[in-house]
Amino acid sequence: MKRSHWLECGVGIFVIIGFLGLVWLGLQVSGLTPSASEGSYTVYAEFGDIGGLKPNARVTMSGVTVGKVESITLDPKWLDARVTMQISDTLKNKLSDDSTAAVQTSGLLGEQYVGLTTGASSQMLQNGGTIRDTQDALSLNSLIQQFMSNMGSNKGASGSSN
């Protein structure tokens, strides 16, 4: 009887550790982990199509996370998605005003994030500045639609040559 009791306790501890591991993994993937209390500044970017980008998504530069998406709103004047990003103070006065922001997708789960590329201008992007050069998210539906329309026009062109 005593051995069975220890076995049950061991299985229970194993299940609890497994559950805590899954919670930790979920927090890591979702980007909801508490971050170090370093300073940040605000930068904006406007996109025609953000795809599935969501608040708290990563902002990266050269594959390194340098910030997060704070909020996404609709610009009432131009009807574009206005993305508010919090960028680490370590990049303050290092992002030029001709930098590029692109909505990118990574991994099997299709996590979307904003990738930054710095430009060559000597003017730096300040707190509250807007990145003007943006690249929209690639839409799988529009790519398939474009492929199908190209296939249809090629088929018609080859059929008329006979």
Side-chain angles (χ1 to χ4, degrees), residues 38-54:
E38 64 181 39
S40 63
Y41 66 103
T42 303
V43 174
Y44 301 97
E46 294 186 359
F47 297 92
D49 183 6
I50 58 166
L53 187 69
K54 293 182 177 24

Side-chain angles (χ1 to χ4, degrees), residues 38-41 65-68 86-92:
E38 64 181 39
S40 63
Y41 66 103
T65 301
V66 295
K68 70 174 189 168
Q86 293 297 318
I87 307 296
S88 170
D89 270 344
T90 57
L91 286 181
K92 201 165 208 163

Side-chain angles (χ1 to χ4, degrees), residues 44-47 72-84:
Y44 301 97
E46 294 186 359
F47 297 92
I72 302 170
T73 58
L74 186 65
D75 181 349
K77 183 177 181 184
W78 301 106
L79 300 177
D80 283 337
R82 184 169 174 84
V83 177
T84 305

Side-chain angles (χ1 to χ4, degrees), residues 8-19:
E8 290 174 3
C9 286
V11 169
I13 290 171
F14 181 76
V15 168
I16 290 171
I17 290 172
F19 178 73

Side-chain angles (χ1 to χ4, degrees), residues 19-161:
F19 178 73
L20 291 174
L22 286 174
V23 168
W24 179 82
L25 183 64
L27 289 173
Q28 291 295 316
V29 169
S30 68
L32 295 176
T33 55
S35 59
S37 60
E38 64 181 39
S40 63
Y41 66 103
T42 303
V43 174
Y44 301 97
E46 294 186 359
F47 297 92
D49 183 6
I50 58 166
L53 187 69
K54 293 182 177 24
N56 291 322
R58 295 180 305 133
V59 177
T60 66
M61 182 173 222
S62 300
V64 178
T65 301
V66 295
K68 70 174 189 168
V69 173
E70 186 70 24
S71 65
I72 302 170
T73 58
L74 186 65
D75 181 349
K77 183 177 181 184
W78 301 106
L79 300 177
D80 283 337
R82 184 169 174 84
V83 177
T84 305
M85 299 174 281
Q86 293 297 318
I87 307 296
S88 170
D89 270 344
T90 57
L91 286 181
K92 201 165 208 163
N93 296 322
K94 294 183 181 172
L95 276 179
S96 60
D97 67 352
D98 64 344
S99 295
T100 302
V103 177
Q104 300 175 336
T105 305
S106 72
L108 295 173
L109 299 176
E111 171 199 12
Q112 293 201 306
Y113 63 96
V114 177
L116 299 178
T117 306
T118 191
S121 173
S122 60
Q123 296 284 19
M124 296 298 134
L125 199 58
Q126 298 301 318
N127 186 24
T130 300
I131 296 175
R132 302 279 176 213
D133 187 10
T134 60
Q135 297 174 4
D136 296 343
L138 280 177
S139 168
L140 184 59
N141 288 339
S142 64
L143 289 174
I144 291 172
Q145 197 173 35
Q146 186 178 20
F147 175 75
M148 296 304 280
S149 67
N150 286 343
M151 289 297 291
S153 65
N154 288 342
K155 190 174 186 180
S158 65
S160 64
S161 63

